[in-house]
Amino acid sequence: MAAFDVVETFVSINGEGTHAGQLAVFVRFAGCNLRCSFCDTMWANEPDVPCTRMTTAEICEAIDQTGIHNVTLTGGEPLLREGMAALLRQLAQDHNRYIEIETNGSVPLAPFTGISPSIAFTMDYKLPGSGMEAQMCTDNFALLTKQDTVKFVAGSYTDLERALEIIRQYDLTNRCHVYFSPVFGKIEPVDIVTFMQEHVLNDVTMQLQMHKIIWDPEKRGV
């Protein structure tokens, strides 16, 4: 049975996305293949990060014990972990669960689609300011459905212009949910709203990271 390096599990609210404000149980996996300039969980990607080795059964049991039916798998990059498809199949056996996978946009989604309608992807598209745009797997856009989300984390007007190009090129607002998020401390939310007004961006949602407003932005486990 596969085992995973898990750096933390906790119950909090979803700070962003389609279930923002709802309770969720988070499982954060160690390690990422990208080094984004604005990463707020770089600590989880360090080779020597303290972690717990957990089997599929142990992760499912930990989630069951919380009584929470929203599950968020995050990282790091969860889809790089060997055995993830099997873990998803196991989690999806509970039909009351809503399972969200936060993925960085560089990993092909094909091996993980079609497992269960209760699984949704929240996929980043890394904009120029991240330094990682060249790593994006744009083939993933064709696999997204109405329950999935593409998130653009923008730190500048240049980032927003590039996001608009991608939205139009791949017709994203007709394919999935689309969100803009500000890089914390780099761009004012009002500037994103103004950009959306200027370009009449129907069906794009501007979001703030709720957990960074409620708690200290550097606090872990929230």
Side-chain angles (χ1 to χ4, degrees), residues 116-172:
S116 170
S118 64
I119 297 172
F121 298 96
T122 295
M123 188 183 79
D124 282 7
Y125 184 89
K126 303 300 185 184
L127 296 167
S130 73
M132 294 288 120
E133 187 178 13
Q135 305 303 315
M136 294 298 92
C137 180
T138 55
D139 289 346
N140 285 338
F141 288 135
L143 302 175
L144 299 176
T145 69
K146 289 292 186 180
Q147 69 180 356
D148 301 317
T149 298
V150 172
K151 181 176 69 174
F152 295 96
V153 181
S156 66
Y157 194 84
T158 298
D159 279 349
L160 291 171
E161 289 182 318
R162 179 58 176 154
L164 180 57
E165 290 176 358
I166 295 297
I167 290 167
R168 288 175 171 169
Q169 180 178 352
Y170 294 97
D171 194 26
L172 291 183

Side-chain angles (χ1 to χ4, degrees), residues 83-97:
M84 183 56 63
L87 173 60
L88 291 172
R89 283 192 290 270
Q90 185 66 33
L91 288 173
Q93 288 186 11
D94 184 338
H95 299 297
N96 291 320
R97 284 197 181 117

Side-chain angles (χ1 to χ4, degrees), residues 8-12 28 43 215 218-222:
E8 59 179 355
T9 61
F10 58 94
V11 172
S12 185
R28 186 181 302 283
W43 60 272
W215 295 282
E218 301 302 320
K219 186 175 177 61
R220 299 180 187 179
V222 295

Side-chain angles (χ1 to χ4, degrees), residues 33 44 56 74 78 107 118 129 134 149 151 176 179 182 193 211:
N33 58 322
T56 296
T74 188
V107 182
S118 64
T149 298
K151 181 176 69 174
C176 61
Y179 282 78
V193 176
H211 53 290

Side-chain angles (χ1 to χ4, degrees), residues 93-115:
Q93 288 186 11
D94 184 338
H95 299 297
N96 291 320
R97 284 197 181 117
Y98 169 81
I99 303 161
E100 178 185 9
I101 304 168
E102 295 186 338
T103 181
N104 65 24
S106 72
V107 182
L109 297 184
F112 309 100
T113 57
I115 293 175

Side-chain angles (χ1 to χ4, degrees), residues 51-62:
C51 57
T52 302
R53 194 78 169 159
M54 299 180 71
T55 65
T56 296
E58 288 170 336
I59 291 172
C60 291
E61 182 180 1

